[in-house]
Amino acid sequence: MKKGTFMALVCLGLMALTTVGQTSGKKGTWKLVWQEEFDNKAGFDTTSWSKIPRGTADWNNYMSDFDSCYAMRDGNMVLRGIVNYTQKNDTAPYLTGGIYTKGKKLFTGGRVEIKAKLQGARGAWPAIWMLPENAKWPDGGEIDIMERLNSDTIAYQTVHSYYTYKLGFEDTPPHGGINKINPDEYNIYSVDIYPDSLVFAINHDYTFTYPRISTDKEGQYPFYQPYYLLIDMQLGGSWVGGVNPKDLPVEMLVDWVRYYEKE
């Protein structure tokens, strides 16, 4: 996942907070059409969720199906980042847990909202994000509802596409913003997906809007199509930096996921 610089996103976040009026005009009320409460102590619902397999990118190179990376506790889906002390046949120094709805539950438009608590650690990089079911990256886009680095008191909300990544148009319009979080508490992360715009918020506090614009450039707004949801803990990488094993294990607690559509 390509990232902008910290200072650029700080500026974008401050700009976004001055343009709340952009979200007005979206009429109608939201109707809850699907929710996941993670109340089953025996495990997550496999009709909606699967464990994310390991890959070669920074965000998934430590993904594991090892049971110690997952737990159901007090109505939370718990995803962990741990030091690999026990899996001798696995050469990865760390192991992380992640789940996604790929091939099982898709979202086209509407509001996607997640309540989660993120433990801080050096090198911790939890994320809540969305990818298209039927398009390759970056052509089909990527919607980052939440990314947090280390023990930051802010979270990043970003979009990526052919337009922003391949063509490099990251500022016309701005493709990301930041918002404050309560670092030791649960926070609610959301995106409203419309045919003409994405509207991001944290704890119902507006972050920024990414609009569809009139342009002859390719792939500017691919986001109104079936997407699946990913929720994962990751450790280390070129953006977040190195890991301090003394800070591990680290946990990401997901209380619920809710999906709304306009009435």
Side-chain angles (χ1 to χ4, degrees), residues 12-250:
L12 292 175
L14 293 174
M15 290 169 59
L17 291 174
T18 68
T19 56
V20 179
Q22 293 180 15
T23 65
S24 63
K26 300 295 185 181
K27 296 181 179 179
T29 57
W30 293 108
K31 178 182 178 182
L32 180 65
V33 294
W34 181 80
Q35 60 187 331
E36 173 61 78
E37 298 293 336
F38 296 116
D39 287 334
N40 185 356
K41 295 180 180 179
F44 60 81
D45 179 7
T46 57
T47 65
S48 297
W49 304 92
S50 304
K51 293 179 179 179
I52 299 175
R54 182 168 301 174
T56 58
D58 276 0
W59 75 268
N60 62 7
N61 59 353
Y62 297 142
M63 283 294 147
S64 174
D65 61 2
F66 185 40
D67 285 346
S68 292
C69 295
Y70 303 84
M72 303 297 292
R73 188 175 71 231
D74 300 328
N76 290 270
M77 175 78 245
V78 182
L79 303 172
R80 296 192 181 105
I82 63 175
V83 178
N84 183 12
Y85 290 121
T86 61
Q87 303 302 293
K88 302 303 182 183
N89 294 327
D90 189 336
T91 59
Y94 308 107
L95 303 174
T96 58
I99 57 175
Y100 61 5
T101 66
K102 185 177 183 180
K104 296 182 176 180
K105 177 64 183 176
L106 300 178
F107 311 89
T108 303
R111 170 175 290 176
V112 180
E113 196 170 65
I114 303 94
K115 182 179 180 181
K117 182 178 180 180
L118 314 171
Q119 290 184 352
R122 177 61 181 162
W125 176 22
I128 301 168
W129 52 304
M130 303 177 75
L131 288 174
E133 182 79 1
N134 299 310
K136 64 181 181 179
W137 194 93
D139 298 18
E142 172 186 326
I143 303 172
D144 295 334
I145 304 172
M146 183 284 300
E147 294 177 281
R148 185 205 190 191
L149 305 182
N150 303 306
S151 298
D152 283 357
T153 58
I154 58 171
Y156 298 81
Q157 297 182 294
T158 319
V159 302
H160 302 286
S161 65
Y162 184 90
Y163 178 82
T164 66
Y165 182 69
K166 290 291 188 179
L167 301 183
F169 292 103
E170 296 187 344
D171 299 320
T172 52
H175 81 305
I178 61 171
N179 209 328
K180 64 182 179 180
I181 64 171
N182 301 317
D184 300 319
E185 304 294 336
Y186 287 88
N187 295 269
I188 297 174
Y189 306 93
S190 66
V191 61
D192 298 351
I193 306 170
Y194 298 102
D196 63 352
S197 61
L198 302 175
V199 181
F200 292 86
I202 295 178
N203 296 321
H204 308 294
D205 180 23
Y206 173 77
T207 303
F208 86 108
T209 294
Y210 187 80
R212 182 192 296 272
I213 64 172
S214 178
T215 177
D216 60 356
K217 305 302 182 183
E218 184 180 348
Q220 187 268 324
Y221 194 87
F223 305 109
Y224 203 77
Q225 62 173 303
Y227 270 66
Y228 60 92
L229 179 66
L230 305 93
I231 305 176
D232 54 75
M233 172 59 73
Q234 180 57 8
L235 297 170
S238 58
W239 189 35
V240 67
V243 182
N244 184 351
K246 294 181 180 179
D247 288 351
L248 304 182
V250 63

